[in-house]
Structure formats: structure tokens, C-alpha cells
Amino acid sequence: MYDDEQPAHVSVAQRQAQAEKAVSKLRQQGYSPQPITPFRTAKIAKSFWGHSWCRHLESYSDYESRLPRGRSYVRNGSVCHLDITSSKANAFVCGSELYEIQITIDPLPQTKWADLKKQCSGKIGTLIDLLQGKLSDEVMTIVTDKETGLFPTPSEIHLNCNCLDHADLCKHLAAVLYGIGNRLDTHPELLFLLRGLDHTELLESDLTKSLDTPSSSNRRRIATNDLSNVFGIDIASDDTPIDLPTPVSYTHLTLPTNRE
């Protein structure tokens, strides 16, 4: 039995109490912990992005048999800290000791990103729709494709835990991987951060395409009120009467013969 394994009789309440003490210890050491809050639901994640992350990892045989070892840890709040930055996730997990985790994820290759933007162009309504996962079946299929989508393959995920379990995926690492899925429920933009991407580019590519398209009745337009709000000025609409200056009489003026 590895030193991080705890006897089976340790209750959920005891595990949660241990995790709370670990969080308090991190604060005393100068950290600002970002724990995964304990939960009792069967699903680790509920949102489109969070659920898709977990399902994607579970689809690989390398992870399928070992990921479940982290389920109870993430549910009980044993992930005492999870900080997600560009291409990295740093965490602390409470076992019989407090273990330190580093997960590094390779950025999505630019060729894949360019292809994804091209395939999604014109098919995503708004940024809110994107982050809330309110996407068409076609776009969902594109972004979750096992080989060409947004999610990393095992070869693109580099794992490190300082526990004594020398397996490629220990229970602490599994808990953090599930913790990422749980965190995506409330912060879906972190998936793009992990892959080194700017999620707004999925919409910007669509805007660029619309600007390059000849004007038509179906072309997207920014409402006059929106422009006024953005630039802080009053912009007259097409129906707003405009006061023009009094015309100047040129009856007694001699105009030059050469006019440009």
C-alpha cells in the first residue's frame, strides 16, 4: 500500500475535514487556495465543456482504468488547490499527506486551430453561446473530435506528482484531471487557456469573413445604439432628421472656371 492510501474506514466527513485543514495550512504558507468544493452528485461536471473534457479523457485506454481512482478525491474536496494558467495546471491534493501536482498541456498546433476556426466560421452565434456550450451539433462534433478537436491527447498531457506511486497516472493526478473538468463548469474559457488559445478568435474569424463579404440584406450590422454606447457619442439613425445649415446664395459670386 502506498503511503498516500488511507484505510477504507475513513469517512467522507473525515476526508473533508482533512482537506479543510490542508487548505488552512496552504493559507498559512502564503498561498491563495482555489479548492474544488466538495459535492455529492454522480457527475463530476455538468456543463458541455466540463462533461466533454471528462468524457474525452475517459475515452483513452491509458486513462480509462486509472481515472476512477480520483473520483472520490475530487468529490470529497481533496483537491485543495487548482490553479489553471496558460498550458499549465498546478494543484495540491490531500491524501495522507499534501501532494503537489504539475500538469503541462501542449498548445494546440496552429494548423489545427486555423482549421477549427475555418470549420466553425459563421456557425457560432455569440461569445456567450460559445462559453455556455450552446452550439449546434455540427460545431459540437468539430470541437470535440478526438483527433482534430480542442481537447488534448494523452501524448500532449505531461503529468507529475510527488507521491510514491510511480504510475503514470496516480489517484492524485486523476483527481486533478477531473478537477479541471469540474472547474470548466464555471470557467469554460480555461480550456482555451490550457491549449494556448484565444477563444474570441472563433468569433473574430467569422466577423472578418462578414466584412470581406459584399454588402447584402443578410449581412450582420452593428445597431446604432450599440455604436453609440461603444464610442460614447450620439450617432443619428437613418430615420433621424438632421438640421442642415442655411444654404449660402452664390448669385453675386464669380466662380473659378477650373474646378477640381
Side-chain angles (χ1 to χ4, degrees):
M1 182 173 72
Y2 295 108
D3 71 336
D4 61 280
E5 294 192 23
Q6 301 184 20
H9 65 270
V10 176
S11 68
V12 171
Q14 287 174 311
R15 293 179 187 274
Q16 290 181 357
Q18 290 173 346
E20 290 174 1
K21 289 181 179 179
V23 170
S24 178
K25 182 179 179 181
L26 287 173
R27 289 197 180 97
Q28 293 173 5
Q29 294 176 347
Y31 290 93
S32 298
Q34 303 173 51
I36 297 296
T37 304
F39 58 93
R40 300 299 298 272
T41 57
K43 289 185 177 181
I44 301 295
K46 300 177 182 178
S47 69
F48 165 74
W49 292 112
H51 178 67
S52 296
W53 168 272
C54 296
R55 188 171 60 180
H56 174 79
L57 294 179
E58 291 167 351
S59 70
Y60 291 99
S61 58
D62 296 355
Y63 291 163
E64 183 182 16
S65 61
R66 300 188 67 85
L67 271 174
R69 302 175 67 201
R71 284 180 173 271
S72 62
Y73 270 62
V74 71
R75 284 198 183 100
N76 295 336
S78 295
V79 179
C80 303
H81 173 65
L82 173 56
D83 180 34
I84 298 175
T85 58
S86 181
S87 300
K88 292 182 180 179
N90 296 309
F92 286 100
V93 176
C94 181
S96 60
E97 298 179 17
L98 191 61
Y99 297 103
E100 189 171 0
I101 307 292
Q102 293 92 30
I103 297 177
T104 303
I105 296 179
D106 295 340
L108 186 74
Q110 284 301 309
T111 52
K112 283 189 176 182
W113 181 228
D115 189 52
L116 273 171
K117 289 190 290 185
K118 182 178 179 181
Q119 292 185 69
C120 294
S121 181
K123 298 169 184 171
I124 300 174
T126 66
L127 186 59
I128 293 177
D129 289 340
L130 173 65
L131 295 181
Q132 291 184 347
K134 295 179 179 179
L135 308 172
S136 66
D137 291 342
E138 180 183 4
V139 174
M140 286 183 181
T141 299
I142 292 170
V143 299
T144 61
D145 186 274
K146 195 171 181 178
E147 300 300 328
T148 62
L150 288 169
F151 299 104
T153 63
S155 64
E156 295 175 315
I157 304 175
H158 311 284
L159 307 167
N160 183 50
C161 177
N162 64 350
C163 75
L164 295 182
D165 186 347
H166 297 296
D168 291 337
L169 183 61
C170 65
K171 64 176 69 176
H172 315 110
L173 286 164
V176 174
L177 286 173
Y178 274 130
I180 292 173
N182 180 272
R183 185 64 58 78
L184 292 181
D185 273 359
T186 52
H187 298 282
E189 71 279 2
L190 292 177
L191 169 63
F192 296 86
L193 186 64
L194 276 174
R195 298 312 318 263
L197 306 171
D198 179 358
H199 57 282
T200 63
E201 289 184 12
L202 280 176
L203 295 178
E204 288 174 359
S205 61
D206 183 31
L207 178 59
T208 301
K209 180 179 178 181
S210 68
L211 292 175
D212 291 338
T213 302
S215 178
S216 68
S217 58
N218 294 325
R219 180 175 174 178
R220 293 185 179 181
R221 300 182 61 189
I222 302 177
T224 300
N225 290 339
D226 294 337
L227 283 173
S228 300
N229 293 333
V230 170
F231 295 106
I233 58 177
D234 293 328
I235 300 178
S237 67
D238 294 342
D239 299 326
T240 302
I242 301 176
D243 294 329
L244 297 176
T246 303
V248 178
S249 174
Y250 294 101
T251 305
H252 304 292
L253 295 179
T254 302
L255 301 179
T257 57
N258 295 324
R259 289 181 297 171
E260 294 183 356

